[in-house]
């Protein structure tokens, strides 16, 4: 047969040709557009042009640049801690179980401050106060009052440090809770100090059977507020932003303890960095509610709380942040921990600052519920969502969410499941393989960050819209097994935060000059990095001042993102 | 109208339609095993190499001299013990440039006295120029040049005596 006999066309051909052309256009052009252009993800840090031998170059966030200045405060008016409570924003919002406006908060802070001076006999810049409180409005009030009166406060990341701190850094007064009072009195007697102690107690003390009190004065918190409210308050002098307002004690992995001195500027810089975690199109606003899994006794936890205060959002913390627990209370993790915030009066959470165990628990529960409802639909939804992520796109409003995932989320997170709009994870190792299922399950930006007890604010934070999925690479030879595991399996934590610069020391120069990724001990510097108590004299040169060793090892990838092997974690 | 699915053209079109429908309903969701080095080849990509970073090194007049830009090498020059990488200024300091004399040498005296003559340079095997006979204005001029170089080029090393290494 001739060729023309093969190419017989009829009306059906026309129809089929049109359909085929339509499908071709649909398949090739209707691709989702990446949320952030991949060219930006190839250069996330700005790198210095010169490096010293055995050290890496200095890395900064690309948006700050090597020549840029670090943001020191969220906006030009915030110099000291109390400025973070904006006096002219008078919309009420819930902090834990208290609905309060900013002017009311400031008034209460002034009352507490006046009460502390009168009843507890504290003097500015001479006394220090130990805060042994669980996270709550009283902690914030005490912190703000002490900071505004230039009285340094001490906080502990865990109660095991109590005896050490009481011995080495005896405070003039202690603020604690009623259920811890008896144990605290035992500790104080053990130390056998002959000084007078003042203990301010939050909660009901009438029902406690207190031992004989010789040189200890017990002041109820409510008396403090009442006393402060009843007197004329003189205007206090504004503290210097570089003045230390708190010392936060934490345990080091080697078993000792370390304290970090934080100034007002460290905290305002930390708030500026935490605000920068969210992209400008999706910034934190007064309509949000922030849930934090970090205790206010740690610098990062405090920064998150003050970011919430500054932005006027609702705020609550999960139960695992409690410093003082009942003896029989189990320590909660994962979903059970997240659900404890339902006890507070905050509206449903929108931004979660959580740990990897919370994220894992959430994503596995949601995916399990989705599989249970319909296996076929779940498979299809998973394929489509994963295909979108591989193109760099994720959304919570797609067809597959409506069909499959929304109901799963409601079953896991309750009625407010649709409100979660961002999750920021830090505080533990997060595996790279766990990140993509979490992104599919939640369909919101999941930001992998890294925090450290010395730094107010995050140290590293990944780009909010970064959805890159790297396959698990072959393990490069490295001296320690912990390093090999971390650098192969953990997810990258992104570039340094907007006001932190990082460098690695102890490098193998020959390997790095040959093109290998730099691996070394991590040092950080910046306005949000506090000063450790054990820091020695600062060197004279500008280049060498201010670098703090974090005690962790890190590796840099060619696109400027870091991977950190967790060392001394909060 | 005649419908004949058996004709080759119709069959081919029908097969293509089935293929396209299958790709739309079941998209490919496999994570690629190798990571591309260009952003055009994929959303998940990694640049091939780190941004270039110079290692801060200690040079002597003898080890500095080869870096005069010939054969595509870097161009370095030193002022008052500070070595600058001026490869970006190949037009000036490269082999055919106006100031080619300074490439790979200690240019302190020339910068101070504003001269590019050979007589401003000390031979490589001699000790470094002590610059004792310069007037204060010449020292100021040299410091001004050092500031200009610090902002325009990269400080990548220091210059010490031949036997100090």
């Amino acid at each position: 047969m001739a060729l023309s006999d093969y190419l017989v066309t009829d009306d059906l051909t026309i129809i089929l040709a049109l359909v085929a052309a339509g499908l071709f256009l649909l398949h090739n052009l209707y691709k989702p557009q990446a949320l952030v252009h991949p060219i930006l993800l190839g250069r996330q840090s700005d790198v210095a042009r010169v490096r010293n031998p055995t050290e890496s170059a200095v890395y900064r966030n690309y948006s700050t640049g090597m020549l840029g200045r670090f943001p020191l405060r969220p906006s030009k008016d915030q110099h000291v801690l109390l400025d973070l409570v904006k006096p002219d924003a008078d919309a009420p919002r819930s902090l834990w179980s208290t609905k309060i406006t900013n002017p009311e908060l400031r008034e209460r802070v002034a009352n507490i401050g006046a009460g502390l001076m009168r009843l507890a006999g504290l003097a500015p810049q001479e006394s220090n106060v130990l805060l042994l409180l669980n996270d709550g409005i009283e902690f914030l009030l005490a912190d703000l009052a002490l900071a505004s009166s230039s009285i340094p406060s001490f906080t502990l990341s865990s109660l095991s440090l109590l005896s050490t701190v009481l011995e080495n850094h005896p405070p003039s007064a202690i603020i604690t809770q009623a259920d811890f009072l008896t144990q605290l009195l035992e500790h104080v007697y053990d130390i056998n100090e002959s000084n007078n102690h003042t203990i301010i107690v939050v909660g009901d003390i009438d029902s406690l059977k207190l031992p004989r009190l010789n040189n200890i004065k017990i002041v109820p918190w409510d008396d403090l507020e009442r006393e402060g409210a009843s007197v004329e308050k003189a205007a206090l002098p504004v503290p210097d932003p570089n003045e230390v307002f708190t010392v936060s004690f934490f345990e080091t992995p080697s078993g000792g303890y370390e304290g970090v001195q934080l100034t007002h500027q460290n905290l305002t810089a930390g708030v500026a960095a935490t605000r920068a975690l969210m992209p400008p199109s999706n910034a934190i606003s007064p309509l949000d509610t922030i849930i934090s899994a970090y205790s206010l006794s740690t610098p990062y936890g405090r920064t998150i709380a003050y970011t919430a205060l500054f932005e006027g959002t609702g705020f609550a913390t999960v139960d695992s942040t409690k410093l003082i627990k009942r003896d029989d209370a189990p320590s909660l993790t994962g979903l059970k921990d997240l659900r404890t915030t339902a006890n507070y009066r905050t509206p449903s959470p929108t931004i979660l600052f959580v740990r990897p165990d919370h994220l894992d628990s959430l994503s596995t529960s949601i995916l399990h519920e989705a599989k249970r409802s319909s296996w076929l639909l779940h498979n299809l939804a998973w394929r489509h969502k994963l295909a979108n992520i591989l193109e760099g796109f994720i959304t919570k409003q797609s067809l597959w969410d409506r069909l499959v995932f929304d109901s799963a989320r409601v079953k896991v997170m309750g009625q407010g499941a649709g409100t979660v709009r961002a999750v920021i994870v830090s505080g533990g190792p997060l595996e790279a393989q766990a990140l993509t299922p979490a992104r599919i399950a939640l369909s919101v930006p999941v930001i992998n960050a890294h925090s450290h007890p010395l730094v107010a604010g995050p140290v590293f934070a990944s780009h909010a819209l970064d959805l890159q999925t790297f396959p698990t690479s072959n393990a490069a030879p490295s001296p320690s097994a912990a390093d090999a595991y971390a650098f192969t399996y953990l997810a990258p934590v992104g570039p340094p935060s907007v006001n932190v610069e990082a460098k690695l020391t102890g490098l193998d120069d020959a390997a790095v000059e040959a093109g290998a990724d730099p691996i070394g001990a991590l040092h950080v510097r910046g306005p949000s990095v506090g000063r450790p108590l054990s820091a020695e004299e600062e060197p004279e040169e500008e280049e060498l001042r201010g670098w703090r060793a974090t005690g962790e090892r890190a590796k840099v990838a060619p696109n400027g993102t870091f991977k950190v092997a967790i060392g001394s974690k909060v | 109208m005649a419908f004949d699915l058996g004709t080759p053209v119709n069959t081919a079109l029908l097969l293509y339609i089935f293929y396209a429908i299958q790709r739309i309903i079941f998209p490919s969701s496999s994570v690629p095993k190798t990571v591309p080095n260009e952003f055009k080849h994929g959303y998940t990509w990694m640049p091939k190499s780190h941004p270039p970073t110079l290692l801060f090194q200690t040079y002597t007049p003898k080890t500095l001299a080869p870096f005069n830009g010939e054969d595509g090498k870097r161009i370095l020059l030193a002022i008052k013990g500070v070595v600058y990488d001026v490869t970006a200024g190949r037009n000036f300091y490269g082999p055919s440039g106006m100031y080619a004399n300074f490439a790979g040498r200690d240019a302190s005296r020339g910068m101070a006295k504003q001269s590019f003559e050979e007589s401003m340079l000390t031979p490589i095997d001699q000790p470094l120029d002590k610059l004792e006979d310069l007037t204060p204005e010449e020292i100021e001029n040299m410091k001004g040049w050092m500031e200009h170089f610090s902002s325009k080029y990269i400080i990548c090393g220091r210059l010490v005596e031949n036997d100090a290494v």
Side-chain angles (χ1 to χ4, degrees), chain A residues 300-525:
Chain A
Y300 186 46
R302 248 202 217 149
T303 311
I304 298 173
Y306 282 113
T307 313
L309 262 187
F310 174 72
E311 296 283 358
T313 69
F315 185 73
T317 52
V318 296
D319 261 8
S320 58
T321 61
K322 280 195 180 7
L323 186 64
I324 298 163
K325 298 194 243 277
R326 284 198 346 251
D327 285 329
D328 51 347
S331 66
L332 300 168
T333 57
L335 210 45
K336 286 206 192 80
D337 199 17
L338 278 179
R339 289 195 175 131
T340 56
T341 56
N343 299 335
Y344 300 115
R345 275 173 56 187
T346 48
S348 40
T350 59
I351 302 180
L352 306 176
F353 283 81
V354 292
R355 288 192 310 265
D357 57 279
H358 298 114
L359 185 71
D360 277 338
S361 180
L362 262 181
S363 64
T364 41
S365 317
I366 291 175
L367 292 173
H368 179 72
E369 286 292 331
K371 274 201 198 96
R372 251 180 29 167
S373 65
S374 160
W375 183 84
L376 182 65
L377 268 184
H378 165 81
N379 251 1
L380 215 51
W382 176 274
R383 278 189 81 141
H384 277 261
K385 285 249 168 199
L386 187 55
N388 277 357
I389 285 189
L390 292 174
E391 295 285 326
F393 179 77
I394 193 87
T395 176
K396 223 163 72 148
Q397 274 127 3
S398 74
L399 170 69
W400 306 107
D401 289 290
R402 279 202 297 276
L403 285 181
V404 180
F405 288 111
D406 274 347
S407 51
R409 284 181 207 133
V410 168
K411 284 204 194 96
V412 171
M413 292 198 277
Q415 266 314 105
T419 54
V420 171
R421 69 182 187 89
V423 179
I424 297 147
V425 190
S426 70
L430 179 66
E431 299 209 341
Q433 284 183 324
L435 206 47
T436 304
R439 289 193 167 124
I440 294 178
L442 294 166
S443 297
V444 291
V446 176
I447 301 166
N448 190 13
H450 178 72
S451 59
H452 190 272
L454 283 180
V455 183
V459 184
F460 296 106
S462 65
H463 194 292
L465 305 171
D466 178 358
L467 296 172
Q468 292 185 320
T469 328
F470 291 97
T472 310
S473 54
N474 301 330
S478 85
S480 88
D483 275 5
Y485 166 77
F487 300 140
T488 318
Y489 293 108
L490 293 188
V493 282
S497 156
V498 293
N499 52 16
V500 165
E501 51 184 358
K503 74 176 177 190
L504 307 174
T505 60
L507 248 52
D508 180 359
D509 273 335
V512 173
E513 289 295 305
D517 291 339
I519 300 180
L522 179 65
H523 292 247
V524 292
R525 177 166 76 168

